[in-house]
Amino acid sequence: MDAASTKVRIVFDASMKTTNGKSLNDILATGPALQQDLSAILSNWRTMKYVFIADIEKMFRCIDVNEEDAQYQRILWRERPGEPIQEYYCSTVMFGTASAPYTAIRTINQLAQDEAERFPLAAKVLKQQMYVDDILSGGDSLELALRVRDETISTLRTATFELRKWASNHPTLLSGIPAEHRQSKSKMQFKPTDPIKALGLYWDPITDEIEFKANFQFETENPTKRTVLSNIARLFDPLGWLNPVIISAKLILQEL
């Protein structure tokens, strides 16, 4: 995994068919789409002079599920071979369930609504400047950016959420943030969703520049049309900045 904090992630196989031929995901309501548009979040973020990024540590695991519903998230477990198998149910939102993304984002939206009067700046961040568990925010002045940062931390802590993997284009915005909670590398790769494995979009907080990683390498000297297409598909460009490169790559594919 590319994650810097979570090396192992528990995923619940809610798509496995049961004895009646249906899976848990087959009968779960997924809920409406609540996620903000990625390109809008990135564009808004880059209009600010002083910016920071962070993500909520183990966001899904911090959200409790009603005990009545948690009964359907059952697992079998034993500490070592030879011991009797025990049955448990998972009491938090689990990766792998069809309703998990909606449940998580809906919880964050409700938190923003509940705390809007006390933390109006944070409410805007949680509703408009988040992508899944990633926060991309800041301000046009250093003072405003600090207020946004502090309000966001305080709001999330009211619901036991903690922010990790901090990075900023100004060292003042990292003051008071423990070193172990900061990004260990100078470049951060955005990971909006699990299906997209290599986004190729990087931000260098030192130079405050967006960078792209395009690495066209083939395992054999005679690549196939399929491998060429696979390499082109790895170019993730939500704002259209790489259109000259992508169009050229697609013209090559068209010739093939």
Side-chain angles (χ1 to χ4, degrees):
M1 290 181 63
D2 295 329
S5 58
T6 308
K7 298 302 181 183
V8 177
R9 176 173 293 154
I10 298 175
V11 178
F12 189 76
D13 186 9
S15 295
M16 190 178 105
K17 304 294 183 181
T18 59
T19 53
N20 63 5
K22 291 185 177 294
S23 68
L24 179 60
N25 278 345
D26 289 334
I27 60 176
L28 279 175
T30 58
L34 298 178
Q35 182 60 67
Q36 295 291 317
D37 180 68
L38 175 61
S39 60
I41 293 175
L42 284 171
S43 298
N44 175 70
W45 182 59
R46 294 317 304 164
T47 63
M48 304 173 192
K49 184 175 182 180
Y50 301 99
V51 297
F52 63 83
I53 59 172
D55 72 26
I56 300 177
E57 183 181 34
K58 302 174 183 176
M59 183 174 75
F60 283 21
R61 306 308 303 275
C62 294
I63 302 173
D64 291 334
V65 174
N66 284 334
E67 186 173 353
E68 179 181 349
D69 298 323
Q71 299 296 328
Y72 296 99
Q73 299 184 154
R74 290 185 172 270
I75 60 173
L76 303 178
W77 180 263
R78 62 182 176 188
E79 289 291 337
R80 53 187 62 85
E83 291 187 355
I85 296 177
Q86 295 178 300
E87 187 175 349
Y88 295 88
Y89 68 83
C90 302
S91 61
T92 60
V93 173
M94 294 295 294
F95 288 96
T97 55
S99 59
Y102 169 80
T103 303
I105 298 171
R106 178 66 180 84
T107 300
I108 295 296
N109 287 349
Q110 186 64 48
L111 176 61
Q113 180 179 323
D114 293 345
E115 300 294 335
E117 187 172 347
R118 286 201 301 164
F119 304 111
L121 295 175
K124 181 180 179 180
V125 171
L126 299 185
K127 287 185 176 181
Q128 301 176 13
Q129 299 171 8
M130 278 193 66
Y131 197 90
V132 189
D133 59 351
D134 292 318
I135 292 177
L136 299 89
S137 189
D140 293 328
S141 69
L142 194 54
E143 179 184 5
L144 176 60
L146 283 169
R147 286 172 53 203
V148 171
R149 183 201 70 173
D150 294 341
E151 280 199 16
T152 303
I153 292 173
S154 298
T155 301
L156 290 171
R157 280 182 176 169
T158 64
T160 71
F161 293 115
E162 292 291 337
L163 289 173
R164 297 289 186 266
K165 293 195 287 185
W166 287 85
S168 174
N169 63 352
H170 197 285
T172 302
L173 290 174
L174 297 177
S175 61
I177 305 296
E180 63 270 19
H181 296 165
R182 302 181 189 181
Q183 284 281 350
S184 58
K185 299 179 181 179
S186 61
K187 297 178 181 179
M188 192 279 293
Q189 183 179 15
F190 291 104
K191 288 186 61 179
T193 55
D194 286 341
I196 303 174
K197 302 299 182 183
L199 305 184
L201 182 59
Y202 289 83
W203 173 55
D204 188 332
I206 306 301
T207 61
D208 197 17
E209 294 176 342
I210 296 288
E211 301 177 2
F212 292 91
K213 181 180 179 182
N215 185 19
F216 294 113
Q217 291 185 347
F218 302 100
E219 296 180 357
T220 64
E221 295 182 359
N222 299 307
T224 65
K225 184 177 179 180
R226 182 184 297 273
T227 57
V228 173
L229 177 61
S230 175
N231 274 270
I232 294 174
R234 292 174 185 169
L235 291 171
F236 179 71
D237 180 31
L239 299 180
W241 292 335
L242 283 185
N243 278 343
V245 175
I246 294 177
I247 290 175
S248 298
K250 289 185 176 179
L251 285 175
I252 293 173
L253 184 66
Q254 190 176 45
E255 291 181 14
L256 294 179

